[in-house]
Amino acid sequence: MKTTMHFILTAICLFNISTVFAQSAKIPRDTVFYKGTEHMNMVILTTDYHNLTKENRLQLILNDFQDRLKKIVGSVPENAYIIEYRYQEQLDILHSDKIKSYSLSEEKGMIENFRNKAIVTDPNNSYLVNISFNDIRELLNMDFTIIMAEIIGELPEKDRYLRYLEFQSNIPSGKVKLTENRPSGYLDMLSLQAGVGANVYRSKFLTDITGEIGLQLNHKGILRNQFYVSNNLMFAFDAENTAIINNFTNIGYRRNLSNEKDKPNWIGVEFGTLTKRRGDIFQPNTRRLGVNWQAGKHITISPQLYFNGFFQMVSPGFRIGIGL
């Protein structure tokens, strides 16, 4: 029983260290696009747009940037420059190598893009703001407090999907209105997987062929949670070289601990039961509890416990799987 408790406690600890694995600057972000006048617009990238309703950190960052910029406005060139500001850490003014830039479309023809850009970053990695403008006076005269208050007032309900939200100043009233709201990342999806595995159980070596169907649930651009059903067809050979086939059917849950959508780090728990028995490798009514970790793109490692009844006659096992 001590072995069983150690196994369960280890699995719980693995799920609680997700923040350690998840630190990354490549976190997918919600996009909040504010289309101001023809002289300025602003794009806010944030880990969760709903955080704007719970804190005023972004307003403080933008107002602080504006106050510091006013003190050095005389040092800013006339045009074609980039301002980089890291909140309370550093402010740089860089020359841009862009002479002219135009957007082309059949509807509007050729329109000149903004000449200058300000990039404001939050050291906490919660916000990244890009402000495009032509005249620095437009930037200095922006009332970020009012703009952010109006954007927050128009934000939709909290959503677990990554979203693109576009806001525009209404010309007659001057009020900011939400004009576009759409998902911008993964949605939930079904997954089908197959693979082979190598198992060690009670000094016996067994191979298996595995099929799996799962439901992967998205959270803010990351396929974060997965629930699945799988089937392991396990076989060994006796002295006459005859295949001895046993079958386990499993249900499981995995969680992706990575915040990079192209570099997942899945870890999960799985419970299985013997649904087809042959030979004396497994006892009748054998159950199995395992932890599985995706060690590589198509490689999984799974320490396991086999038992009869309620954790009676507990035996350890181990599996290495290769996905196809």
Side-chain angles (χ1 to χ4, degrees), residues 58-320:
L58 183 56
Q59 292 95 305
L60 293 175
I61 292 173
L62 292 173
N63 287 330
D64 183 78
F65 164 63
Q66 197 175 47
D67 291 340
R68 294 178 188 273
L69 190 60
K70 289 177 181 178
K71 297 177 182 178
I72 60 166
V73 65
S75 303
V76 178
E78 291 187 6
N79 53 46
Y81 56 88
I82 299 172
I83 303 172
E84 295 182 353
Y85 176 59
R86 186 170 176 84
Y87 180 51
Q88 295 187 339
E89 292 187 6
Q90 188 167 336
L91 192 154
D92 297 318
I93 301 175
L94 310 173
H95 282 286
S96 172
D97 58 2
K98 182 174 66 175
I99 298 175
K100 290 284 186 177
S101 175
Y102 296 91
S103 294
L104 308 178
S105 67
E106 294 183 359
E107 295 82 9
K108 297 182 180 181
M110 187 167 62
I111 301 175
E112 183 177 359
N113 293 324
F114 297 106
R115 295 187 295 271
N116 309 311
K117 179 182 293 186
I119 303 172
V120 182
T121 57
D122 177 9
N124 290 349
N125 207 32
S126 297
Y127 301 102
L128 172 64
V129 182
N130 287 282
I131 305 172
S132 299
F133 60 97
N134 287 327
D135 191 329
I136 196 169
R137 289 172 295 182
E138 292 281 340
L139 183 58
L140 294 176
N141 292 330
M142 286 180 65
D143 193 328
F144 287 115
T145 300
I146 292 178
I147 291 173
M148 292 307 305
E150 293 183 349
I151 288 176
I152 291 170
E154 288 285 307
L155 284 174
E157 293 295 324
K158 183 177 176 64
D159 195 339
R160 64 183 174 92
Y161 296 125
L162 209 64
R163 302 207 73 81
Y164 171 85
L165 306 172
E166 183 171 315
F167 296 83
Q168 187 169 359
S169 292
N170 185 275
I171 299 301
S173 66
K175 297 293 184 180
V176 175
K177 296 296 181 182
L178 177 64
T179 57
E180 187 173 351
N181 177 4
R182 57 178 171 80
S184 61
Y186 289 138
L187 300 178
D188 302 335
M189 63 179 65
L190 289 174
S191 66
L192 296 173
Q193 300 185 54
V196 296
N199 302 262
V200 177
Y201 171 71
R202 288 189 174 182
S203 301
K204 293 183 176 64
F205 177 79
L206 304 100
T207 56
D208 70 64
I209 299 174
T210 298
E212 176 185 303
I213 182 170
L215 174 63
Q216 300 190 60
L217 303 179
N218 168 79
H219 184 268
K220 289 301 177 184
I222 299 289
L223 293 174
R224 182 67 68 190
N225 301 292
Q226 182 184 48
F227 300 89
Y228 66 91
V229 177
S230 66
N231 199 73
N232 298 117
L233 191 67
M234 306 175 68
F235 55 94
F237 295 92
D238 59 17
E240 287 77 29
N241 206 32
T242 302
I244 303 172
I245 299 175
N246 291 272
N247 191 86
F248 277 86
T249 300
N250 319 283
I251 57 173
Y253 166 76
R254 297 189 187 100
R255 181 170 177 81
N256 182 11
L257 304 184
S258 172
N259 276 334
E260 297 183 36
K261 65 179 181 179
D262 298 324
K263 296 181 180 180
N265 183 15
W266 293 97
I267 187 168
V269 294
E270 180 180 275
F271 178 79
T273 184
L274 185 65
T275 51
K276 180 179 180 180
R277 176 177 176 268
R278 185 174 180 182
D280 58 359
I281 299 175
F282 300 103
Q283 297 298 314
N285 301 317
T286 297
R287 307 287 190 268
R288 182 174 69 185
L289 180 65
V291 172
N292 54 71
W293 172 53
Q294 184 176 315
K297 188 173 183 180
H298 297 290
I299 300 175
T300 58
I301 296 174
S302 178
Q304 301 167 333
L305 290 178
Y306 292 82
F307 54 92
N308 298 93
F310 186 72
F311 290 100
Q312 299 176 359
M313 299 178 61
V314 177
S315 300
F318 190 81
R319 179 180 186 270
I320 297 178

